[in-house]
Amino acid sequence: MHTHKKTSHQISSQTMRAFPLVTTLFIKDLASGLAIDEISSDALVPTFTLANNITIPLIGLGSASGVGYLHVDSAIKAGYRFIDTAQSASWGYKENEVGNAVFDAKLRWEDWKTGEADDYVFVQTKIHPQDLGYKSTKEAIARSLSTLRVSSLDSVLLHKPRCWEGVCDHEPEGTWEDSWKALEEAYDDGIVRSVGICDVDDSLLDRLLSKRIKPTIIQNWFDPYHQDKKLRERIAAINTQQEENGQVKGKILYQAYSTLGTQWKMRGYVENPVFDNYILKNIAKKHGVSVPQVLINWATQQGVMVLPASTQISHQEANLNSFAFVLSHEDIDAINSLDGHPPGKRGQRSFHNGNEQGLDPSTIDPNKVDVHFINEINTRVKVYWVQKEGENQEKHILMGEMTRLSDKVNLDSFHGHEFVFKDGTEAGDGRLLHRVSVDRNEGRRQYFKITDMSGEL
């Protein structure tokens, strides 16, 4: 899959790894994020260069939820070159099976270093919070070395910065700071090549930045409803500053868990509200892709690494091939607008400034409406959802377009939604042609004939 050859046991900027896929976009790695650079026949997965000059893909396989040997093996064969695991079996991780799969594939870092392989799989593990403490962390590192069948660990994160009842079956020996000292020493000795921690807030980041060896990777919860913007902006600023100084050393990777919305089921939701979000579903439909592919594309454009777990080969391959389409600015704005506005749980309704936010249909069936717009104007018409942003203020989110007479756009909508229709032949923000409001009392399936009413608006 990769054509480069290694010249030494160190990975330098001259031996940066490429991650081609059967797609059509070339993604360029930038200091604080990513941007689509150009169309290329050698399409690449977006990448990020860590503080230690190791370049990794911005998509890996998460291995919680029972991902085992066969699933890791299929992911490696599909082209995955990053696997995230952990020591906690109670959270669904099978660290030993990850280690065995990578070992049998002969794609460990040491296989690459010694010339026995042209490539390697970067494996990240995480230390359980009950092993916080200097001595306990040293022992945990030794266990992972044995379990993963390696002489050095690609990346070790502290899974949580603290312990609490129900998570740990005994009091930890020490604190995360004691553990960090052990990680620093393991890094110095070459036993661990990257270090980091999960669930970081502003105050914890301040303390991490004061350490002798700063984090290479920070892993936090990130999805469309929980975008963690403040911390990501701080990390982006740090990375930009280092790049401006001509340094890679201080750069930090923001790595996400639960990007596809799995955290919400742990917070009382019967169904995953991310998959049922009508904005995301309509963007996916427009591009002919799945909601997970939309989210992976969107997240990596923000410079966020994603770790979707999957036991199905078809899903693994689809997730890895999420870069063959370009999200428009309107698409990205629409997804960004979901931040901080999760839907109501079952039996509840959730509103944001008068607009329901992408609710799971099972929670609000009484208000759900299938809307069908029919173009009766002999011109190109763009369809926008109206997002209320305050008194007398609104934002128009592009949902689709009708290119000719009698074309249709079908959407999942809800009571109280409004849509506007604009002339798609005009440059910029086209002339307003029509406006409609959705009223559930008119039926669960509604048809709107879109005519030119610009003289009345």
Side-chain angles (χ1 to χ4, degrees), residues 50-53 242 247-251:
L50 300 174
N52 48 12
N53 277 343
Q242 294 302 321
Q247 300 174 356
V248 177
K249 188 175 180 181
K251 289 175 67 177

Side-chain angles (χ1 to χ4, degrees), residues 48-52 54 56-57 82 84 122-126 154-158 180 183 193-200 205 208 214-220 235 250-256 305 307:
F48 187 92
T49 301
L50 300 174
N52 48 12
I54 299 173
I56 61 173
F82 191 109
D84 176 73
F122 190 102
V123 178
Q124 174 173 278
T125 193
K126 301 186 285 293
D154 296 322
S155 176
V156 176
L157 310 185
L158 301 180
W180 198 261
L183 288 179
R193 301 195 300 128
S194 305
V195 296
I197 188 169
C198 306
D199 294 338
V200 176
L205 180 59
L208 286 163
K214 296 169 178 55
T216 309
I217 297 170
I218 284 173
Q219 187 183 107
N220 274 14
I235 292 173
K251 289 175 67 177
I252 300 169
L253 171 65
Y254 183 97
Q255 189 179 78
M305 181 176 184
L307 300 166

Side-chain angles (χ1 to χ4, degrees), residues 348-362:
Q348 297 178 328
R349 297 167 63 192
S350 175
F351 290 84
H352 170 55
N353 292 333
N355 281 292
E356 298 172 39
Q357 296 293 307
L359 305 186
D360 171 1
S362 67

Side-chain angles (χ1 to χ4, degrees), residues 132-152:
L132 292 175
Y134 176 82
K135 181 180 177 182
S136 296
T137 296
K138 290 273 192 179
E139 293 171 349
I141 290 171
R143 286 197 302 274
S144 281
L145 287 168
S146 175
T147 302
L148 292 171
R149 303 173 72 175
V150 293
S151 58
S152 67

Side-chain angles (χ1 to χ4, degrees), residues 91-151:
W91 290 339
Y93 291 95
K94 299 180 179 180
E95 188 186 42
N96 63 319
E97 296 191 31
V98 171
N100 289 339
V102 177
F103 180 87
D104 290 346
K106 296 180 171 54
L107 286 174
R108 301 171 302 165
W109 180 69
E110 48 226 84
D111 298 322
W112 183 86
K113 180 179 68 173
T114 58
E116 297 175 36
D118 289 333
D119 196 9
Y120 71 95
V121 176
F122 190 102
V123 178
Q124 174 173 278
T125 193
K126 301 186 285 293
I127 294 174
H128 197 285
Q130 69 187 17
D131 289 318
L132 292 175
Y134 176 82
K135 181 180 177 182
S136 296
T137 296
K138 290 273 192 179
E139 293 171 349
I141 290 171
R143 286 197 302 274
S144 281
L145 287 168
S146 175
T147 302
L148 292 171
R149 303 173 72 175
V150 293
S151 58

